[in-house]
Amino acid sequence: MPPTPPARPVRSQPGTAASRLRRRATRSRTSVNAKPRLVIGRLVMVGALVVAGLRLVDVQGIQASALSMKAEQQLQTKIFLPASRGTITDRNGGQLAFSVDSKALYAQPARMRKDWATTATTHPGVSYEQYTQQIVDRMTQLLGSAVDGQTLLNQLRSTATFTYLDKVVDPGIAAQITAAFPEIGAEDRSQREYPNGSVAANVVGVANWRDATSTAPGEVGGLTGLENSMNAQLAGRPGSELVDTQQGNDQVIIPGSERDVHPAVAGANVQLTIDTDVQFEVQQLLAQYVAKTGAKDGTAVVMDAHTGQVYALADDNTFDPNNLAAATSADVGDQAVTTPYEPGSVGKIVTMAAALDAGLVTPQTVINVPGSLQVADRTITDDWSHPDEGFTVAGVFAKSSNIGTVEIAQKVGPTNFYQMMMKMGLGQRTGIGLSGESPGYVPAINTWSGSTFGNLPFGQGYSVTVLQMASMYQAIANGGVRVPPRIIQSVTQPDGTVVTTPQPAGVRVVSQQTASTLLGMMRWVTQKAPSPNEGTGVSAALPGYQIAGKTGTAQQVDPTCGCYSHSKDTVTFSGILSAENPKFVVGIMLDAPANGAESAGTAAPLFH
């Protein structure tokens, strides 16, 4: 028989006495167990609040000063990351300007004196005056004549909050000073160096570090020359980063705190068309010749006859950019592009070019040249007395007859003459890229009076720069095509990309035949012949070479009367080497030479 199943437990029915007793017993046990836990929880909460309150009192009261000092010791500082400035080189890669790392030493005298009571414990028995003397002794020992001991003492013992002790210090020497005297700080800087001194200084210019008081702090900025006009390319773009620094010395960066870094972008390198050797020679010869002739000053330019590239651009007044403090405002300019003057007879090339190109005359055309010529209210004369006589056009040019030139210009007419001036680039900037370039001056044709056309044809009544003058003759040397001069050969970007300056589009001034004819006429200017048939530029001739050129002597305006002076002239010469195969064009200007040097052709020996 199957086993008998166990008996099921008897369940109480809801509402029975047994179930009610069990629920009551359960509630009683719950109430008894929860009460101690609630009390303990409340006690823990009260304890935590008491501890937090005590901590708050400790932080805001007892430790407030100490914690505030610790917080100040970790100041957030935005620091400057200097960009490496680009170099400037000549056409052969020789350096004309570059940068080297340096340091600027500074001190905070007021803080140093205030903290001395604390720091003096490490210097027992040493007064603040004795300690500053130790600093000065060490600095003068390491820096020599670059600093003055008494000046340093006065700075360190002053009440100034901040002072620079020396702004250009070799990093190695700066490290020795700051290691020995932690109170002295060192600031990263970049020093511009000019290894050739005054050679091409008027072109290259100068740049120096801009202090925190300047409008563009923390970088080397261009002041003059190409350093200024090309500053945006050379300077690059500075960077920055946020760091935590120690209180009292924002040069001490807490390691690992660097963030929000924006790297600096290096500047571009600029290569010029200048040839340092040619530039040096031109500067030396120009300065010697200015001194010899007693001229007020002088300028000269040498350019490629076909490309317009400038090999030399020189003033006799110059400066050493490594010692800018010794320079005057007159030294740092670039007169070859900034200072216009009346060209005198070198301007007669405009008249000849217009007449020959229009077919109005040939070199053999005979012009009757009287002893004087009346044009409106002006009486035109030549530099030498002569009766009425016939001159060939070539003879008018070689002897530089003002009267004959005006007569030829009258054949050309004012409109065609003015148009030739514009083709020659007169009254317009060349666009060479140097700051302060003057366009010169040409009176608008609608302002001409009856006498205006009596002096423009022989180089008076308008003004040019030496560069513009040379550019006119470059057009003739280049088969009649004027190529605007340039001095920037290329720019190398930080990524190595070389951007070559494109050769400017040429301007057809005269036909190739006219240019060839003019070259021949300019040869006669420099050739000797039996008197009175020799040219005015014989002293420019070179043995073994055919030289083409033109002399010029222009009366300067006397400011006391507003009339032309009878004692001060501007003397010029434009020459082409060689006449058979033009390679170089040279333009020279001497301002008011003395010592009997006021006659035409005075600048020709310098060309030689």
Side-chain angles (χ1 to χ4, degrees):
M1 293 181 64
T4 301
R8 294 183 179 178
V10 178
R11 296 183 178 177
S12 299
Q13 296 298 319
T16 62
S19 63
R20 286 197 297 274
L21 286 174
R22 280 195 296 272
R23 287 198 296 273
R24 192 178 298 118
T26 300
R27 286 198 297 270
S28 297
R29 287 196 300 271
T30 301
S31 299
V32 172
N33 294 336
K35 189 172 183 179
R37 288 199 298 271
L38 183 60
V39 171
I40 293 171
R42 288 174 176 173
L43 290 174
V44 170
M45 290 178 63
V46 171
L49 290 173
V50 170
V51 170
L54 292 174
R55 181 61 177 162
L56 187 61
V57 171
D58 181 51
V59 169
Q60 293 189 342
I62 300 173
Q63 298 189 56
S65 179
L67 292 174
S68 177
M69 184 175 294
K70 288 183 178 180
E72 289 178 359
Q73 289 175 349
Q74 295 188 8
L75 298 176
Q76 178 176 283
T77 303
K78 184 175 183 178
I79 65 172
F80 164 75
L81 302 176
S84 176
R85 190 174 181 85
T87 62
I88 300 177
T89 61
D90 77 347
R91 67 184 303 111
N92 302 309
Q95 289 188 324
L96 295 171
F98 62 91
S99 298
V100 295
D101 292 336
S102 66
K103 297 283 187 179
L105 296 180
Y106 66 88
Q108 298 171 298
R111 181 179 293 277
M112 286 174 60
R113 188 179 290 276
K114 180 180 178 182
D115 293 345
W116 182 251
T118 302
T119 58
T121 56
T122 59
H123 306 281
V126 179
S127 67
Y128 184 75
E129 284 68 26
Q130 291 172 323
Y131 186 62
T132 53
Q133 185 65 60
Q134 292 176 11
I135 296 175
V136 170
D137 290 344
R138 185 58 172 160
M139 288 186 66
T140 54
Q141 178 189 6
L142 292 173
L143 299 175
S145 61
V147 293
D148 177 72
Q150 188 57 53
T151 301
L152 291 177
L153 271 180
N154 294 340
Q155 288 177 286
L156 291 171
R157 294 174 182 177
S158 71
T159 58
T161 57
F162 183 93
T163 183
Y164 282 111
L165 304 177
D166 192 347
K167 295 182 179 181
V168 183
V169 181
D170 179 88
I173 294 177
Q176 294 182 53
I177 294 172
T178 56
F181 306 101
E183 296 85 358
I184 306 302
E187 183 180 281
D188 289 334
R189 290 214 172 178
S190 181
Q191 177 69 15
R192 202 66 166 161
E193 296 287 339
Y194 301 90
N196 293 289
S198 63
V199 177
N202 298 79
V203 174
V204 174
V206 64
N208 68 0
W209 188 270
R210 294 171 175 170
D211 293 331
T213 56
S214 75
T215 55
E219 66 175 16
V220 175
L223 301 179
T224 65
L226 288 170
E227 289 274 35
N228 175 264
S229 62
M230 299 199 70
N231 188 67
Q233 295 94 322
L234 290 164
R237 187 173 66 249
S240 65
E241 65 180 1
L242 286 177
V243 297
D244 291 334
T245 57
Q246 290 187 3
Q247 189 272 342
N249 189 348
D250 62 5
Q251 297 298 310
V252 179
I253 300 172
I254 297 174
S257 66
E258 297 86 353
R259 59 197 180 278
D260 195 20
V261 179
H262 299 278
V265 178
N269 297 327
V270 177
Q271 185 172 27
L272 307 184
T273 62
I274 292 289
D275 185 299
T276 301
D277 293 336
V278 177
Q279 178 76 28
F280 172 80
E281 199 69 26
V282 171
Q283 283 187 209
Q284 295 297 308
L285 293 172
L286 179 64
Q288 293 168 12
Y289 201 72
V290 166
K292 176 181 178 180
T293 60
K296 181 180 177 181
D297 52 51
T299 59
V301 58
V302 178
M303 67 166 58
D304 188 286
H306 302 293
T307 66
Q309 290 190 3
V310 174
Y311 278 65
L313 196 64
D315 293 347
D316 73 297
N317 289 323
T318 187
F319 69 104
D320 183 353
N322 297 301
N323 185 20
L324 184 61
T328 67
S329 58
D331 296 332
V332 300
D334 198 342
Q335 295 188 75
V337 298
T338 63
T339 308
Y341 56 90
E342 292 194 358
S345 293
V346 292
K348 291 174 180 176
I349 193 174
V350 178
T351 301
M352 297 300 168
L356 290 168
D357 206 51
L360 300 173
V361 296
T362 69
Q364 292 76 35
T365 300
V366 176
I367 304 293
N368 182 49
V369 180
S372 64
L373 180 68
Q374 192 71 28
V375 178
D377 60 349
R378 286 181 59 88
T379 300
I380 311 300
T381 61
D382 285 328
D383 286 341
W384 76 100
S385 298
H386 60 80
D388 292 3
E389 57 184 322
F391 281 78
T392 64
V393 169
V396 167
F397 192 63
K399 291 293 291 181
S400 202
S401 168
N402 295 337
I403 298 172
T405 301
V406 172
E407 289 182 311
I408 295 171
Q410 289 174 338
K411 295 178 181 292
V412 173
T415 300
N416 291 334
F417 180 84
Y418 181 79
Q419 290 175 348
M420 181 57 68
M421 295 181 83
M422 295 300 101
K423 290 180 182 179
M424 289 286 191
L426 303 182
Q428 309 155 54
R429 292 181 178 87
T430 67
I432 192 173
L434 295 172
S435 58
E437 182 183 11
S438 171
Y441 169 73
V442 173
I445 190 170
N446 58 5
T447 66
W448 291 8
S449 66
S451 61
T452 302
F453 203 48
N455 61 357
L456 290 178
F458 58 86
Q460 287 191 335
Y462 68 96
S463 63
V464 300
T465 64
V466 173
L467 187 63
Q468 287 176 319
M469 180 181 74
S471 184
M472 289 196 296
Y473 283 78
Q474 179 273 328
I476 306 306
N478 191 39
V481 177
R482 179 176 61 84
V483 180
R486 61 190 175 107
I487 204 166
I488 308 299
Q489 183 161 295
S490 64
V491 175
T492 302
Q493 302 297 335
D495 62 0
T497 302
V498 178
V499 181
T500 301
T501 303
Q503 181 168 306
V507 177
R508 171 62 70 179
V509 176
V510 294
S511 68
Q512 188 168 358
Q513 179 59 49
T514 298
S516 178
T517 300
L518 271 171
L519 271 175
M521 291 171 60
M522 281 190 280
R523 286 189 191 187
W524 300 335
V525 173
T526 65
Q527 290 181 350
K528 192 170 180 61
S531 180
N533 297 314
E534 74 275 3
T536 56
V538 172
S539 56
L542 288 170
Y545 292 91
Q546 286 289 323
I547 302 300
K550 184 70 186 76
T551 58
T553 304
Q555 293 174 288
Q556 295 189 2
V557 175
D558 185 343
T560 61
C561 63
C563 58
Y564 282 109
S565 170
H566 293 289
S567 60
K568 291 185 178 181
D569 297 320
T570 299
V571 175
T572 54
F573 186 86
S574 283
I576 298 170
L577 176 69
S578 68
E580 298 150 316
N581 183 24
K583 176 61 178 174
F584 293 108
V585 176
V586 179
I588 302 167
M589 186 279 290
L590 300 176
D591 182 1
N595 305 331
E598 66 277 358
S599 62
T602 300
L606 178 56
F607 174 88
H608 174 92

